[in-house]
Amino acid sequence: MALFNTIPKATKSLRVLARLLGYPDAELRADLADMRAALHEEKALPPQRLAELDALIDTLARKEALEIEAAYVELFDRGRATSLHLFEHVHGDSRDRGPAMIDLAQTYGKAGMYLAEGEMPDFLPVVLEFTSTQPPREAREFLAEMAHIFNAIFAALQQRGSAYACVLGALLELAGEKASPVEIAAEEAIDAVWQEPVVFDGCSSKGQSKPDQPQPIHIVRKPRPSQGAQA
């Protein structure tokens, strides 16, 4: 049997991966449960990778909105190594980037996909949306052409200890490449999360008696308010 005849359909998975790489606004967070269900229903990815994606989804659902939004901006919008604009990794700021953008946009147009105003054709979520519309063989070949870029971003995310690395690992596997597992951070025990801190545990004893010795207590009497003259 030919290899390409065994390629699983990954339409839903590619769309979920595209969403996970988007800005984690309220609309995205509201869809997390459906996104998880789609990944597990399609089963285009191995169990280990699905477990990693589940952990990322749990993190996005659990943490405060401002925290995950700020972390996303810091991770993807500040620095070329983790940029989700693919031509940043290929052309940088050279003049070749413009023609490459036009060619990619024309590829989308030939397939009947047109960009909304302000969308960049090399933005990875946009690339994945397009890829999800292609037959399995063409989708894998298209992803394989970009595997070296995925590897670069994957390595940068791994170096930063980011849970988003599992999304790039999933893309590499859908491209027919091998990607190392992503370590899933252990959740802190619920008892530890809610445990009350020891009273005054963080107070410094500098300038005082030794910690195992009685501490002097100084009482300062609060002055009484002046009283009016008695009749």
Side-chain angles (χ1 to χ4, degrees):
M1 181 180 294
L3 173 63
F4 289 125
N5 290 337
T6 65
I7 297 174
K9 187 176 181 180
T11 300
K12 293 181 180 179
S13 298
L14 285 167
R15 290 176 180 170
V16 170
L17 297 176
R19 289 292 308 282
L20 286 175
L21 289 176
Y23 185 74
D25 55 15
E27 182 180 356
L28 183 146
R29 295 193 300 274
D31 292 339
L32 288 172
D34 291 338
M35 292 159 66
R36 185 202 306 270
L39 287 172
H40 285 269
E41 177 185 346
E42 193 167 57
K43 296 180 180 178
L45 295 164
Q48 172 63 30
R49 196 66 69 189
L50 287 174
E52 296 168 4
L53 292 166
D54 282 343
L56 173 60
I57 289 172
D58 289 340
T59 297
L60 295 176
R62 185 184 70 254
K63 289 190 174 181
E64 294 290 335
L66 289 177
E67 181 180 357
I68 62 173
E69 289 170 5
Y72 179 92
V73 171
E74 184 66 28
L75 184 64
F76 292 119
D77 295 346
R78 297 179 180 173
R80 181 168 293 174
T82 55
S83 174
L84 296 179
H85 292 276
L86 301 186
F87 292 156
E88 280 277 343
H89 303 271
V90 180
H91 303 297
D93 296 325
S94 73
R95 295 180 179 179
D96 294 332
R97 189 174 182 183
M101 290 278 202
I102 295 173
D103 289 344
L104 187 55
Q106 288 176 344
T107 298
Y108 297 160
K110 291 176 182 177
M113 175 179 167
Y114 299 93
L115 299 176
E117 184 177 356
E119 282 189 326
M120 302 295 283
D122 69 331
F123 186 48
L124 185 49
V126 174
V127 173
L128 297 181
E129 284 287 347
F130 166 74
T131 311
S132 72
T133 67
Q134 303 303 297
R137 175 174 178 171
E138 285 77 3
R140 171 164 286 193
E141 290 177 343
F142 191 68
L143 292 174
E145 292 178 5
M146 299 174 285
H148 63 292
I149 307 176
F150 298 159
N151 257 316
I153 303 174
F154 178 72
L157 292 173
Q158 285 271 56
Q159 186 177 15
R160 287 162 173 74
S162 172
Y164 278 102
C166 67
V167 182
L168 276 297
L171 292 179
L172 285 167
E173 288 168 341
L174 292 177
E177 303 285 334
K178 289 184 178 180
S180 60
V182 175
E183 183 177 354
I184 301 175
E187 292 290 339
E188 189 175 2
I190 190 66
D191 291 341
V193 173
W194 290 101
Q195 183 179 8
E196 294 186 6
V198 178
V199 178
F200 304 130
D201 187 48
C203 295
S204 171
S205 60
K206 184 177 180 181
Q208 304 176 12
S209 300
K210 295 181 179 180
D212 59 345
Q213 298 296 323
Q215 303 293 313
I217 300 176
H218 301 282
I219 300 177
V220 179
R221 185 182 300 278
K222 183 178 181 182
R224 298 176 62 186
S226 59
Q227 297 180 349
Q230 295 182 356

